[in-house]
Amino acid sequence: MADDMLFEPFRLGPITLRNRVIRAGANEGMVVEGAPSRALVKHHRDLAAGGVGLTTVAYGAVSDVGRTLPNQVWLRPEILPDLRALADAVHREGGAISYQLTHGGSFVTSRRVDGPTMSASSGFNKAGFLRGNFWHRAMNRADMEQVAREFVDAALLCRDAGFDAVELHMGHGYLLNQFISPLSNRRTDVFGGNAVNRVRFPAAVLARVKDAVGSRMAVLAKINVADGVPGGATVEDGIVTAQALEAAGADLLVLSGGRNVESGWFMFGSNFAMDEMEKVLKGSWITGLMLKAAQARAPRVDFREMYFLDYSRRIRAAVKVPLGYLGGVSSPHNARQAVAEGFDAVVMARPLIHDPALVAKWRNGAQDTSGCTHCNRCVPYIYHPAGTWCVMNPPNDPALNRIRASA
């Protein structure tokens, strides 16, 4: 039964997906002039042709200062033709497409921002200081209104471009997660303190987006099941976050975990490949130094399948909102297990970077596992001129990453 459900149409808010497999949002590095490149179109078209129900484009910054890297899309009206080219390409292959809407807040690692970056609280910016972003400031009500409006405007732009869904990124240490996580949020007002207060602003943003586009688009959110380090958000906090977003109208929550600076190993379920990082970043010593520092205290972690399952089960038991299981899905057996345990979708990134046609192969029985070894050598290639690819495959064509999608 779980096998049948995995590959049958799935109703997600106002849209219907052809199956329950979602390509997780993960930075592609396929951007030119702050707009999608032809490489990004090819990447997501290949995923749709390979059978995913929904492919998620990342990282879609809702404002210029919301970008963490120079080569990220900034969602603005000028790039509407490029967004349409991207959505149309996925639709022609029978897939649905979502844009991951994000604001980096204080997590701006590869570009200089004028003045202190925004965050839940003020203080020294450990994520951005090597680029000259020494401080971050606590957002006030006017800042919150501005950011909420930027998320709404980005969602409306995606709607006009023909996207089927948007996913609000509330994990991994980006701005909305900076409110949710006690690692970043030290406020003493109604937006700080306990877990209920810390999720108040992110939930309000989701409710605004839902009101604006929810009749035509699915509205998802990516959250942390836990931060994975002492002093960070726990699974109990994750339950509170899920309950608040359920009340705000989320159509599905993608259950991830970890923070980019404090616990990347927890996020990926295995350690970064620092030798590959050094190779790709040899011309950017500042970014390389920052990544090395972030990994200096990482424990040794050996990959295991379904590494977020215990956390995710607890959230599944606490809410009725549809949930997408993410974290160590390596085989149809893993995917069927997730569906059988009550998760509404299965969400993957690395196995689909390794093989965009994996879903079709699983469905027709041509393959019963993934060739991805979860070595994390694909991760550094978000900084590469050709964009992300699996090192076990031929490299991307860098020429495609120098041409805008609509050109």
Side-chain angles (χ1 to χ4, degrees), residues 321-368:
V321 61
L323 299 177
Y325 178 80
L326 180 154
V329 174
S330 297
S331 68
H333 171 74
N334 295 151
R336 293 173 190 135
Q337 178 185 359
V339 174
E341 293 203 23
F343 296 97
D344 302 87
V346 175
V347 190
M348 300 181 289
R350 286 168 290 178
L352 292 169
I353 292 172
H354 172 71
D355 186 357
L358 185 63
V359 177
K361 292 176 182 178
W362 283 0
R363 182 170 189 172
N364 64 27
Q367 196 167 317
D368 62 1

Side-chain angles (χ1 to χ4, degrees), residues 70-358:
N71 65 332
Q72 285 175 330
V73 167
W74 164 26
L75 292 164
R76 60 203 191 279
E78 291 84 350
I79 69 166
L80 182 58
D82 305 285
L83 297 174
R84 282 179 175 154
L86 179 55
D88 289 348
V90 169
H91 290 155
R92 282 194 294 270
E93 300 294 346
I97 185 167
S98 174
Y99 223 120
Q100 186 183 78
L101 308 184
T102 321
H103 193 300
S106 62
F107 188 75
V108 181
T109 60
S110 296
R111 57 194 298 260
R112 177 75 170 86
V113 176
D114 291 335
T117 55
M118 289 190 293
S119 189
S121 301
S122 60
F124 177 69
N125 189 347
K126 62 184 177 182
F129 77 96
L130 287 174
R131 287 290 179 181
N133 303 308
F134 297 108
W135 308 102
H136 53 80
R137 62 178 179 83
M139 291 171 62
N140 57 34
R141 295 293 183 110
D143 295 325
M144 293 181 196
E145 173 58 30
Q146 174 188 329
V147 168
R149 188 170 58 249
E150 288 169 346
F151 271 92
V152 169
D153 288 345
L156 289 168
L157 181 67
C158 291
R159 183 199 65 186
D160 293 345
F163 278 71
D164 305 284
V166 289
E167 176 188 280
L168 280 61
H169 202 332
M170 300 187 182
H172 301 174
Y174 299 110
L175 179 60
L176 297 182
N177 182 252
Q178 289 160 31
F179 276 82
I180 293 170
S181 174
L183 292 171
S184 303
N185 190 336
R186 298 178 298 279
R187 300 176 74 104
T188 58
D189 61 3
V190 297
F191 300 102
N194 61 44
V196 172
N197 283 354
R198 295 198 308 270
V199 75
R200 191 183 302 273
F201 173 59
V205 173
L206 187 141
R208 291 269 296 267
V209 171
K210 179 75 173 182
D211 286 344
V213 301
S215 64
R216 289 175 49 185
M217 304 178 77
V219 178
L220 291 68
K222 187 178 224 178
I223 68 171
N224 280 2
V225 295
D227 289 346
V229 289
T234 63
V235 67
E236 289 80 13
D237 295 331
I239 289 169
V240 172
T241 296
Q243 290 170 336
L245 298 177
E246 179 176 42
D251 292 309
L252 183 137
L253 304 179
V254 175
L255 303 181
S256 188
R259 304 244 302 182
N260 287 309
V261 173
E262 296 89 353
S263 53
W265 54 269
F266 184 75
M267 183 192 311
F268 288 99
S270 52
N271 296 100
F272 285 147
M274 294 310 298
D275 57 338
E276 200 75 26
M277 284 278 190
E278 291 173 0
K279 182 172 73 174
V280 175
L281 295 171
K282 61 183 178 182
S284 180
W285 67 269
I286 294 178
T287 303
L289 183 62
M290 184 209 71
L291 290 167
K292 281 186 178 181
Q295 295 302 305
R297 298 182 181 179
R300 176 65 192 173
V301 179
D302 294 322
F303 174 79
R304 61 184 177 88
E305 296 179 353
M306 307 294 278
Y307 56 85
F308 281 147
L309 185 57
D310 290 342
Y311 297 93
S312 299
R313 281 169 172 158
R314 293 190 59 186
I315 294 177
R316 176 68 290 169
V319 295
K320 296 181 180 178
V321 61
L323 299 177
Y325 178 80
L326 180 154
V329 174
S330 297
S331 68
H333 171 74
N334 295 151
R336 293 173 190 135
Q337 178 185 359
V339 174
E341 293 203 23
F343 296 97
D344 302 87
V346 175
V347 190
M348 300 181 289
R350 286 168 290 178
L352 292 169
I353 292 172
H354 172 71
D355 186 357
L358 185 63

